[in-house]
Amino acid sequence: MSSYSSSHTASSSYSSSKELSENEEPETRNWLDLPRDVTASILLKLGAVEILTSAQHVCTSWRSICKDPVIWRTIDMQNLGDLHIMPDDLEILCRRAVDRSCGQLVDINVEYFGTDDLLKYITDSTSHLRRLRLVYCDDISDEGLCEVAGKLPLLEELDISIGNISKDSLEVIGRNCPHIRSLKFNMEVFRRPHIELDDEAFAIAKTMPELRHLQLFGNKLTNVGLLAILDGCPRLESLDLRQCFNINMEGALGKRCAEQLKDLRRPNDPTDDYPFDATIPDGGSFDEDYPLGISDTDFLSDDDYEYDFYAFSDGSDISDDVGYYFDPDTY
Amino acid sequence: MASSSKTITVVSSDGDEFEMTMKAAEQSKLITHMLDEFGVSDKVPLYNVNSETMAKVMEYCKKHADHEAAKEEDGGAAIGAGGEEELKKWDDEFLKVENGLLFNIILAANYLEIKSLLDSSCQAVADMIKGKTPEQIREIFNIKNDFTPEEEAKLRSENEWAFQED
């Protein structure tokens, strides 16, 4: 039977406390006896902010783990609304987290407070970034993203949903990131779906041949753009076209989608598992004519209100790049 | 691999024996490896896991093995998206135990290399810590504050605006 015990590689710290455990009450387990990598797993699940502001203050052992670059390979800074920390301070914390990664950063998730400067800081620190999520970051511009695209040679997954990014960035990313396999470029749907815009679809089709997963919620592409994507991204496995109301899935194109793709979400499919606000005015039915006097502000939820006003600060321009359509006449 | 009706016996540190199906045993990479190397006829001693913890681990492995088997049947139609959520709820309830047992479950999951159990149990601990001050965390886990006063002062000044006083 001794052959069994020699074949395993369990942490010796558990074995040494085992002798005590049979006589101890469960309440006196020493949590610092957990193997270091297990404690690291627990702390990682807290997210970067709580590691920096709370966990690392608990004791010297936890502080040591919190300074180990290994746990900073993934930096998660999302859902921070509860913590009541100002964006500037969040950026400071994020930079501190990036510093701790010591060049080993692989995966970073930033919601709301991302800026071009922060993006540059992140991409300057590492050449190993594989997953980048910059969501609700309206302070990140096309220029900012294009400038750092060359520093993302290993990028595999990109989520730049609900921001100010246009097809220009998509093309530059595509050209600089040959390994990109997953793209999420979701938008909030406004009440002008009859405007058709295939530029983003074409950019993706032209420059991202290795895509396996694509999420284009609320996009204005038409069947022409969709066809380009199916042709340009032959390895595509999953495609989410929810609320892309210019797409018509009847007929040959719909059939081709169903055959070519393992996982397809159609324009009118349910949105309960969509992570962002999917509310559409009028409960989903559109026609060309809208009653006068209804402004875009009527359709904004409380959460969106401030953000969208920021996005529309020069609202008299209807810009293809932004993808939002703001009619000053009805505002 | 052997058929799922075949069972193996594992032995806890307290000497109690537990039977598990091959499919349940496969949830543990360590047990699988041991069986591959040494065969299924002998009883597998798991000296690092006591009986109380072993019983919980057995329950987990059986539940997840049954879930996997149901998924394989008729292409997963029996399970559907709701099934995954249901399993997650079961996991959450399963881990509502007092801290000492949770500690042992984590160690057992780590030792036995049951990745999903390790992940869920670590998440359960993280959920206990979320939003808590350092002092509250120390109380939950009976951890001594071993910073020197100078170290503590330095740490506080780093995060003055975000550090919550208790």
Side-chain angles (χ1 to χ4, degrees), chain A residues 43-305:
Chain A
L43 298 183
L44 260 175
K45 292 179 193 296
L46 292 176
V49 174
E50 291 217 35
I51 292 174
L52 288 171
T53 61
S54 190
Q56 69 166 354
H57 297 272
V58 169
C59 63
T60 56
S61 165
W62 281 26
R63 178 150 174 91
S64 159
I65 295 172
C66 291
K67 296 192 90 165
D68 191 337
V70 163
I71 77 158
W72 296 103
R73 289 195 185 147
T74 299
I75 294 176
D76 183 3
M77 300 194 72
Q78 72 168 2
N79 287 335
L80 301 174
D82 308 340
L83 294 179
H84 307 293
I85 302 179
M86 301 304 295
D88 286 350
D89 292 333
L90 286 172
E91 176 159 347
I92 293 173
L93 281 176
C94 189
R95 285 172 184 250
R96 204 172 286 166
V98 169
D99 290 342
R100 292 218 177 158
S101 69
C102 296
Q104 297 177 36
L105 182 62
V106 168
D107 181 341
I108 184 162
N109 177 8
V110 169
E111 274 191 12
Y112 288 102
F113 66 93
T115 62
D116 286 342
D117 278 347
L118 178 61
L119 183 56
K120 190 162 188 307
Y121 196 81
I122 291 168
T123 53
D124 279 346
S125 81
T126 174
S127 49
H128 302 153
L129 207 58
R130 289 178 201 276
R131 283 184 293 283
L132 180 59
R133 187 172 183 271
L134 302 164
V135 160
Y136 287 115
C137 294
D138 36 303
D139 284 341
I140 290 183
S141 66
D142 275 328
E143 290 74 26
L145 191 48
C146 290
E147 195 188 319
V148 302
K151 297 194 215 134
L152 300 167
L154 299 180
L155 193 67
E156 293 175 5
E157 296 177 30
L158 178 63
D159 185 348
I160 38 174
S161 295
I162 329 273
N164 289 326
I165 302 301
S166 78
K167 64 156 173 66
D168 295 334
S169 290
L170 293 178
E171 269 186 56
V172 174
I173 291 278
R175 293 194 202 289
N176 282 276
C177 307
H179 301 289
I180 192 158
R181 303 166 49 98
S182 166
L183 175 68
K184 293 185 185 175
F185 187 71
N186 300 314
M187 297 172 160
E188 285 168 320
V189 177
F190 279 73
R191 59 185 184 84
R192 300 289 170 98
H194 60 278
I195 290 175
E196 298 174 352
L197 187 61
D198 282 315
D199 290 2
E200 290 135 9
F202 290 150
I204 293 167
K206 242 187 337 181
T207 64
M208 299 186 185
E210 295 296 322
L211 269 191
R212 312 291 201 270
H213 309 283
L214 179 58
Q215 191 178 47
L216 288 176
F217 202 101
N219 199 279
K220 308 254 184 287
L221 82 166
T222 69
N223 283 14
V224 176
L226 175 54
L227 187 58
I229 288 174
L230 292 174
D231 285 339
C233 307
R235 295 201 151 122
L236 206 55
E237 295 169 9
S238 72
L239 180 57
D240 187 345
L241 296 170
R242 285 177 288 177
Q243 297 190 358
C244 298
F245 293 119
N246 295 334
I247 301 255
N248 182 351
M249 282 293 200
E250 319 283 314
L253 189 56
K255 210 158 160 264
R256 179 172 168 189
C257 283
E259 283 167 0
Q260 187 169 332
L261 304 164
K262 287 185 193 157
D263 183 7
L264 171 66
R265 305 294 194 104
R266 296 156 193 273
N268 293 299
D269 278 356
T271 59
D272 39 313
D273 64 344
Y274 180 62
F276 309 113
D277 183 10
T279 329
I280 314 172
D282 302 327
S285 65
F286 290 87
D287 50 66
E288 296 283 316
D289 299 319
Y290 287 85
L292 293 172
I294 297 179
S295 84
D296 279 321
T297 61
D298 290 354
F299 302 115
L300 298 175
S301 72
D302 287 342
D303 291 339
D304 298 335
Y305 195 81

Side-chain angles (χ1 to χ4, degrees), chain A residues 1 3-5 7-8 10-11 14-15 18 22 26-35 37-38 41-43 45-46 50 52-63 85 89 92-93 96 100, chain B residues 13-14 30 34 38-39 42-43 45 47-48 98-100 103-104 106-107 110-111 118-119 122-123 125-126 129-134 137-138 141 143-147 151 155-156 158-159 161-163:
Chain A
M1 284 297 172
S3 56
Y4 281 107
S5 28
S7 71
H8 73 75
S11 160
Y14 182 87
S15 309
K18 179 197 107 53
E22 283 162 351
E27 291 76 28
T28 58
R29 293 319 306 261
N30 185 355
W31 284 79
L32 299 183
D33 280 345
L34 280 180
D37 59 336
V38 173
S41 298
I42 294 171
L43 298 183
K45 292 179 193 296
L46 292 176
E50 291 217 35
L52 288 171
T53 61
S54 190
Q56 69 166 354
H57 297 272
V58 169
C59 63
T60 56
S61 165
W62 281 26
R63 178 150 174 91
I85 302 179
D89 292 333
I92 293 173
L93 281 176
R96 204 172 286 166
R100 292 218 177 158
Chain B
S13 60
D14 303 319
L30 180 77
M34 282 182 174
F38 301 108
D42 289 333
K43 295 175 190 173
Y47 292 141
N48 282 5
E98 55 92 20
N99 284 359
F103 180 94
N104 285 340
I106 290 176
L107 286 179
N110 189 44
Y111 166 58
L118 181 59
D119 197 55
C122 284
Q123 183 67 58
V125 177
I129 303 176
K130 265 201 179 118
K132 301 272 195 312
T133 67
I137 296 172
R138 286 185 209 117
F141 296 118
I143 293 175
K144 189 174 177 302
N145 179 357
D146 59 347
F147 288 113
E151 281 169 332
L155 287 171
R156 274 175 204 238
E158 270 178 25
N159 294 325
W161 39 266
F163 187 82

Side-chain angles (χ1 to χ4, degrees), chain B residues 83-99:
Chain B
E84 294 304 328
E85 247 185 69
E86 218 186 281
L87 183 66
K88 174 139 199 335
K89 285 205 184 113
W90 185 91
D91 284 352
D92 290 343
E93 280 306 310
F94 171 81
L95 290 170
K96 284 189 179 146
V97 296
E98 55 92 20
N99 284 359

